[in-house]
Amino acid sequence: MNLIVVPTYEEALTISDLLRGLLAQTSLTDFHVLVVDDASPDGTATIVGAHPEFGTRVHLLNRPGKAGLGAAYRAGFNWARTHGYDVVVQMDADGSHPADAVPRLVAALQGADLVVGSRYVRGGRTVDWPWHRRMISSGGNLYVRLVLGLPVRDCTAGFRAYRREALALLVEEGTHADGYSFQIETTWLAARRDMRVVEVPITFVERRAGHSKMSTAIAAEALWRVVMWRVRDGRASSRRMQEQPA
């Protein structure tokens, strides 16, 4: 069996449509959905618990409070490993990641360890984003690629598919980012582990309901963590060179 992990915080207006769209995909009949909810005060968890397929194909992991996107994914990934799922997909609950693109990401795992649903490869695009949002996103990805030397064009993408073995390596390596920099961190760790990373073009649509969780603090975390990872990796490389016999 395979699993789709969806972190939520105040997504009562969108979660039902997402579950309906995912479960309607005839090519996803072997997939379950795990909603990881951070005690949403709008009743998101209650809506999930009332779903007709709750307990069979729809599952819920309740967390005590809002602790960040990275923490939610770590909890969801650990749940997936404990329950023995073979493929794990991560995606947002707000409708920005198209449910009908999940089969394409999963199919691409035939030649990859990690598949990224990308806005910034040929065929990928964003819809209904203002110019400044596009500029921040594309500029941020350029910054990440330059600082970390990554070949992935959409390092901040939150729509991904993992092989079980690849996910196990990332979990064992350990992640620490809490905000959207979690996406960058997993890309960085995958590159350091020499995993095969493939980007599949998607159409990213701005959310139709609810509100974005992006904040200045989350953006700042991404900026300083990228530099920290680069510095840490440089120090590790220097130590390895010093330890080599003359």
Side-chain angles (χ1 to χ4, degrees):
M1 295 300 292
N2 307 309
L3 184 70
I4 300 169
V5 178
V6 182
T8 57
Y9 183 75
E10 295 191 344
E11 298 291 359
L13 297 176
T14 59
I15 191 61
S16 292
D17 287 341
L18 176 65
L19 292 175
R20 186 180 307 112
L22 289 173
L23 298 180
Q25 299 290 318
T26 56
S27 58
L28 298 179
T29 54
D30 60 342
F31 271 82
H32 291 181
V33 181
L34 172 68
V35 177
V36 183
D37 187 68
D38 278 8
S40 297
D42 66 350
T44 300
T46 300
I47 294 172
V48 175
H51 192 277
E53 295 198 56
F54 181 73
T56 54
R57 293 186 65 195
V58 176
H59 308 279
L60 177 65
L61 179 57
N62 281 305
R63 287 160 41 82
K66 188 177 181 183
L69 186 69
Y73 272 128
R74 281 189 285 272
F77 291 167
N78 282 322
W79 193 94
R81 291 188 69 199
T82 299
H83 290 80
Y85 288 94
D86 295 316
V87 168
V88 175
V89 174
Q90 65 169 73
M91 66 187 300
D92 292 345
D94 59 12
S96 58
H97 298 151
D100 59 5
V102 173
R104 290 194 290 114
L105 267 66
V106 174
L109 280 175
Q110 294 297 319
D113 299 301
L114 165 62
V115 175
V116 176
S118 178
R119 298 160 289 185
Y120 300 125
V121 294
R122 184 182 296 275
R125 65 190 183 113
T126 59
V127 175
D128 293 334
W129 262 16
W131 67 269
H132 64 275
R133 184 85 178 271
R134 295 174 189 266
M135 184 177 68
I136 291 171
S137 178
S138 59
N141 273 285
L142 177 60
Y143 166 79
V144 170
R145 292 200 307 274
L146 290 175
V147 174
L148 296 180
L150 294 174
V152 180
R153 297 193 61 82
D154 199 348
C155 298
T156 61
F159 193 15
R160 301 174 176 226
Y162 302 84
R163 284 182 178 274
R164 177 175 57 188
E165 299 82 3
L167 188 63
L169 286 175
L170 293 176
V171 171
E172 290 166 6
E173 180 87 8
T175 59
H176 304 282
D178 291 323
Y180 287 85
S181 55
F182 175 80
Q183 323 293 12
I184 305 171
E185 185 175 22
T186 52
T187 308
W188 171 236
L189 293 177
R192 292 178 68 215
R193 286 279 195 159
D194 295 322
M195 293 184 190
R196 296 166 296 168
V197 181
V198 171
E199 292 185 86
V200 171
I202 65 160
T203 297
F204 180 98
V205 181
E206 175 69 326
R207 63 161 61 235
R208 303 301 185 188
H211 59 279
S212 173
K213 311 305 186 299
M214 179 60 73
S215 67
T216 302
I218 289 174
E221 181 199 14
L223 290 174
W224 72 260
R225 280 194 181 275
V226 166
V227 173
M228 181 190 70
W229 293 326
R230 177 75 276 174
V231 170
R232 185 181 65 188
D233 194 62
R235 289 174 176 171
S237 298
S238 178
R239 284 196 300 270
R240 287 194 296 269
M241 291 181 64
Q242 292 173 6
E243 292 169 358
Q244 289 179 355

